Amino acid sequence: MADNSTSDMSICLYNYLCHNIVGSADYVRLIRLVNASKDQIKSSSLSATFITSGSFGEGLELNGSDYDIMILPRHNDIVVTDQTKLQVCHSSKSIVLLETNDVKPGFAYLRVIKGNTKNSDVFCRGAQGQEYLSSVMFKMCILNERQPIIHGPCASDRDGAIDLAFSLHSKSWIFTALKWVTRSNNSWPTSEVKQRVIDHGVMFVPIGQEGDLNEELKWRISFSLGEKFLIYTFRHTQLLCYALMKMFLKNVISESPGCKDLLCSYFIKTILFWLSEELPTSVWKPDNLIPCFMRCFKRLVYCAEYSVCPHYFIPENNLFESKIIGHSRTKLLQKLNELHDYGWQCIFSSEQISSLPYYTGDQCNAHMFANNIEKMIKSRTMIPLAATTIVEYERCLKSILLSKSKKKRTIHLHIMTRLSLNTAHTIQLSNPYSNKYKYKQYKTCICYILQSTHHDAVLGWLMLATLFYKHKQYYKALCVLSYSLTKCTTEKLVFCANITDVHRKLLRYKIFRKLNIIRTLRLLSLPSLDFNENTSLIPDELKMISSDFITRNSISPVTYVHFLTFLCHYHLHNIRNFQESLGDLRLTIEENYLMSGISMKATAYDCLGVAFQIIGDTKAAREAFVKSTEVYPDQFYNRSFKRLAILNSCID
């Protein structure tokens, strides 16, 4: 049991993590529900199942963490099994036998033994008269323009922000992990939880045992689905302890000279699982957070000292085997023992925890809602789904109608209103068909756009103004733009914005406190406009077809209001008005008004350059494009580089 002082400090640490880093238990549940809803929608009509994984999938969004997505392809018709399950397999599929003999625990060969191999032979390789799936060839097949880099078992983007792990899935539990089913009779995990984990099955990710002679033919056995569900059963104190250990590893241990990349967060997760199984669940409570953290830290020190960290599901797999040796091990142990000598105060070594402010009960309630709003506005959950289809929109609508949970309905409704805008983008407004057909498309597009006005403060209205502009209804567009501008006020929150004292004061009003986070964001959030390469709604003046860079545009709402207002007045020959709009656009850029990030400012300069090109001021256009490239010097994403090249070629 913790003494009174440690108990008080545990409460302070618990509140600090809830307020500033992880969020409350309700917030974590919300993140998980949103992720699950998005995964369900993305998986509904595509040829693969999408699963948000990693820390973010578990409900944790810590600084610097990647966005991990597991993708289980459906179209390849590959069934992974073991010999005891062969009788249930169908000959029409490619049957892959799991072989673990003479393989390090945790890895396996996948031998093709039966069925149709036409879909799998592209990543098969012969060895000793047999056909095996090659993990290396499998990874090479999943690389593309957006994810061109191999990162472990994943395909990553150029910034290393998104990892896509294409995996094979076995719905059956495997023999090598059978002991886990009957190993523990303690309070965690319960028999019901174990059955749910077993029902999730296992996966095989394309990465072999490093340095092994047959590394290319080996696959790592992954329990990511079951591990994610186990994390979901954690008490909030367990989750905070997990987050604290991950932060401590990244910000303190890994930053020490000679210790970088020696330990990974999966070791932390494994230690948490073992301790959760060994300890009664009653231990994991807010006033015992610091002792729980020290238990985890001491276990980590023990693992490093004796070079042993058994895998939670397959204990024969020592995660530390041949990983930390020689001088590296000496440096790591020296750092761990040094931190251990400080006791629980070692947490202050983390830059994210410099002090622990004391919160009263009233302060906790008053600030928690605002802090959760701030975390949500910075969360990846605010990033909209990529271009979707009408089928996905309809399935989301069906989920709303069938769901018995009010919270799930609210989340699905929030996603559906954004999907309605995505659907509007897919409607072809210009085509060779009759005027009657065009008018029907126009009305359908308006219907979807009007639904999207319930998603946030302004995005749907700006798309409605764009639709009017595309149909040369300039006065209608100007009316909607004028209304939209009244919504772009200082209290609105753009993506990655910090909560100010003005926002905190606003969020103390009962009208907001009675709303949940999702409904509050509908009133206060001001997302960017995203135009992809296939949309019919983007103004022709901004279109640029090129395979040299990503053609998706993200524009600040205020920037877009002034730019589209300029276009309307230009076509109406209102010289004074379009000059005023140019001045407003310039002022918006100078003041960085309601913009988030350098890419959005670069896009604003790009819009300004296009406007100057339209009125024939080539010199001012070049200056704006150059400014854009200076602000965001990425030739792959910033289209101002291409505009400059075209502009210079025309002059030459």
Side-chain angles (χ1 to χ4, degrees):
M1 293 295 292
D3 58 34
N4 290 337
S5 61
T6 305
S7 178
D8 291 341
M9 291 304 298
S10 291
I11 294 291
C12 287
L13 179 59
Y14 180 93
N15 289 331
Y16 180 84
L17 293 172
C18 287
H19 277 258
N20 299 285
I21 297 175
V22 176
S24 64
D26 288 339
Y27 174 81
V28 171
R29 281 192 289 268
L30 176 61
I31 291 289
R32 291 170 176 173
L33 281 172
V34 174
N35 284 338
S37 298
K38 284 188 173 183
D39 289 346
Q40 178 185 342
I41 293 164
K42 285 190 292 185
S43 304
S44 60
S45 63
L46 298 176
S47 58
T49 298
F50 286 72
I51 303 166
T52 304
S53 59
S55 294
F56 186 50
E58 294 161 352
L60 291 174
E61 194 166 11
L62 305 176
N63 288 342
S65 59
D66 296 332
Y67 188 21
D68 301 315
I69 302 174
M70 298 205 77
I71 301 177
L72 310 181
R74 296 175 185 166
H75 65 277
N76 53 27
D77 293 330
I78 297 177
V79 176
V80 182
T81 185
D82 55 37
Q83 281 185 316
T84 61
K85 302 294 181 182
L86 284 180
Q87 66 271 19
V88 302
C89 296
H90 303 286
S91 58
S92 62
K93 295 182 180 293
S94 301
I95 310 304
V96 177
L97 178 65
L98 176 69
E99 292 185 350
T100 56
N101 292 331
D102 301 322
V103 182
K104 179 185 175 181
F107 292 87
Y109 291 112
L110 299 181
R111 178 162 62 93
V112 180
I113 60 168
K114 183 180 179 183
N116 178 17
T117 61
K118 71 179 190 301
N119 293 321
S120 60
D121 56 6
V122 70
F123 41 85
C124 280
R125 180 183 155 189
Q128 298 179 350
Q130 302 290 342
E131 285 288 316
Y132 291 90
L133 296 186
S134 166
S135 57
V136 173
M137 295 170 69
F138 185 87
K139 278 187 291 190
M140 297 306 296
C141 290
I142 64 179
L143 295 178
N144 56 49
E145 186 183 45
R146 292 180 183 271
Q147 264 70 40
I149 300 170
I150 292 291
H151 180 213
C154 306
S156 298
D157 63 350
R158 287 174 171 81
D159 298 327
I162 301 177
D163 285 342
L164 302 182
F166 287 78
S167 312
L168 300 180
H169 184 216
S170 172
K171 296 180 180 179
S172 303
W173 198 249
I174 59 174
F175 177 78
T176 51
L178 204 57
K179 292 180 181 178
W180 175 80
V181 179
T182 56
R183 182 176 68 216
S184 172
N185 293 318
N186 292 343
S187 56
W188 187 94
T190 64
S191 57
E192 292 80 7
V193 169
K194 280 193 172 184
Q195 188 57 53
R196 288 287 299 274
V197 172
I198 292 169
D199 292 341
H200 279 85
V202 297
M203 291 182 295
F204 303 89
V205 295
I207 186 168
Q209 182 182 344
E210 186 176 357
D212 187 87
L213 183 63
N214 293 317
E215 179 180 349
E216 178 186 347
L217 299 183
K218 293 181 180 178
W219 295 63
R220 189 169 68 202
I221 302 171
S222 171
F223 298 86
S224 292
L225 294 177
E227 289 166 356
K228 182 178 175 181
F229 182 71
L230 287 176
I231 295 287
Y232 279 16
T233 67
F234 275 5
R235 290 187 170 190
H236 200 53
T237 301
Q238 280 172 285
L239 190 69
L240 295 184
C241 191
Y242 178 38
L244 189 59
M245 285 291 293
K246 286 167 70 75
M247 289 163 44
F248 197 65
L249 171 61
K250 182 174 183 178
N251 300 332
V252 181
I253 298 173
S254 294
E255 291 298 317
S256 181
C259 297
K260 185 176 177 60
D261 298 329
L262 291 182
L263 300 175
C264 69
S265 59
Y266 190 75
F267 300 155
I268 302 299
K269 182 191 294 186
T270 301
I271 288 172
L272 256 293
F273 283 155
W274 281 110
L275 286 175
S276 297
E277 183 177 299
E278 295 166 11
L279 301 173
T281 53
S282 59
V283 167
W284 304 97
K285 54 185 180 179
D287 62 356
N288 205 39
L289 177 57
I290 287 176
C292 288
F293 166 77
M294 289 306 297
R295 283 178 184 266
C296 295
F297 183 53
K298 288 177 181 178
R299 181 64 62 91
L300 177 62
V301 174
Y302 176 89
C303 290
E305 185 174 355
Y306 293 96
S307 298
V308 58
C309 182
H311 190 280
Y312 180 64
F313 291 97
I314 307 176
E316 295 81 8
N317 178 13
N318 179 11
L319 300 177
F320 276 19
E321 183 180 339
S322 303
K323 288 287 179 66
I324 308 170
I325 56 177
H327 181 67
S328 296
R329 178 175 176 274
T330 302
K331 296 292 290 184
L332 177 63
L333 283 174
Q334 180 181 344
K335 183 62 179 179
L336 291 177
N337 287 320
E338 174 188 325
L339 291 168
H340 185 265
D341 289 341
Y342 283 105
W344 69 265
Q345 288 89 345
C346 64
I347 63 173
F348 295 118
S349 303
S350 172
E351 60 184 16
Q352 290 183 268
I353 307 177
S354 56
S355 61
L356 292 179
Y358 177 75
Y359 293 97
T360 65
D362 291 338
Q363 286 175 324
C364 282
N365 295 330
H367 295 302
M368 185 65 76
F369 184 71
N371 288 345
N372 284 342
I373 290 289
E374 182 174 29
K375 280 188 280 291
M376 180 60 81
I377 208 72
K378 295 179 179 181
S379 171
R380 292 186 180 96
T381 56
M382 296 299 292
I383 299 175
L385 289 169
T388 48
T389 65
I390 293 178
V391 173
E392 290 167 324
Y393 167 85
E394 291 173 346
R395 292 193 179 187
C396 190
L397 177 60
K398 184 178 179 181
S399 297
I400 295 170
L401 297 175
L402 296 179
S403 178
K404 296 180 180 180
S405 167
K406 183 178 179 181
K407 183 173 287 188
K408 287 184 179 179
R409 286 199 304 270
T410 300
I411 292 171
H412 274 89
L413 180 61
H414 179 73
I415 295 174
M416 191 199 76
T417 51
R418 183 57 192 247
L419 287 179
S420 64
L421 192 59
N422 288 357
T423 305
H425 280 288
T426 66
I427 296 174
Q428 295 301 313
L429 300 173
S430 58
N431 52 63
Y433 297 104
S434 64
N435 288 334
K436 184 177 181 180
Y437 181 83
K438 290 180 182 178
Y439 180 72
K440 181 181 178 182
Q441 293 289 87
Y442 171 75
K443 298 295 284 187
T444 302
C445 191
I446 285 182
C447 179
Y448 282 114
I449 288 175
L450 288 177
Q451 289 181 55
S452 74
T453 60
H454 296 280
H455 185 273
D456 53 67
V458 74
L459 194 57
W461 297 114
L462 291 180
M463 285 298 100
L464 183 62
T466 306
L467 182 64
F468 289 149
Y469 172 76
K470 295 278 289 184
H471 285 79
K472 300 182 180 181
Q473 298 171 317
Y474 303 125
Y475 288 109
K476 285 185 179 180
L478 286 170
C479 287
V480 178
L481 288 169
S482 178
Y483 172 73
S484 300
L485 191 58
T486 65
K487 296 282 188 179
C488 299
T489 47
T490 54
E491 79 280 358
K492 293 301 192 295
L493 292 166
V494 297
F495 182 61
C496 286
N498 291 318
I499 294 288
T500 65
D501 291 337
V502 173
H503 294 116
R504 292 189 182 278
K505 185 176 180 180
L506 183 66
L507 292 170
R508 288 193 190 105
Y509 286 111
K510 289 184 179 180
I511 187 173
F512 290 108
R513 298 294 295 276
K514 289 181 179 179
L515 299 175
N516 56 37
I517 293 175
I518 294 294
R519 294 175 68 190
T520 299
L521 289 174
R522 174 188 158 190
L523 298 175
L524 294 181
S525 68
L526 204 65
S528 63
L529 287 85
D530 293 311
F531 293 110
N532 59 58
E533 59 267 30
N534 299 317
T535 182
S536 297
L537 286 175
I538 188 172
D540 293 338
E541 293 81 357
L542 287 179
K543 282 185 178 179
M544 178 175 282
I545 301 173
S546 174
S547 59
D548 297 334
F549 56 91
I550 296 296
T551 55
R552 182 169 177 163
N553 253 354
S554 293
I555 308 177
S556 161
V558 182
T559 296
Y560 190 72
V561 166
H562 295 312
F563 178 73
L564 197 59
T565 300
F566 158 80
L567 290 178
C568 290
H569 285 304
Y570 176 80
H571 288 292
L572 290 170
H573 307 290
N574 298 333
I575 298 176
R576 181 177 177 180
N577 295 103
F578 77 62
Q579 287 177 340
E580 287 179 356
S581 298
L582 276 178
D584 291 335
L585 180 53
R586 271 179 156 168
L587 186 62
T588 299
I589 297 172
E590 289 172 7
E591 295 184 351
N592 211 34
Y593 187 65
L594 291 177
M595 293 185 192
S596 61
I598 57 173
S599 63
M600 203 163 283
K601 188 163 187 174
T603 304
Y605 273 119
D606 186 73
C607 290
L608 183 63
V610 170
F612 280 128
Q613 271 190 309
I614 290 171
I615 63 175
D617 192 341
T618 305
K619 181 181 178 182
R622 181 186 288 105
E623 289 176 357
F625 293 144
V626 169
K627 278 281 189 182
S628 177
T629 60
E630 290 173 350
V631 170
Y632 189 46
D634 190 321
Q635 297 188 40
F636 189 75
Y637 290 100
N638 190 348
R639 58 183 56 207
S640 285
F641 282 98
K642 189 70 173 180
R643 295 197 201 278
L644 271 175
I646 295 172
L647 193 62
N648 292 332
S649 65
C650 291
I651 295 174
D652 295 340

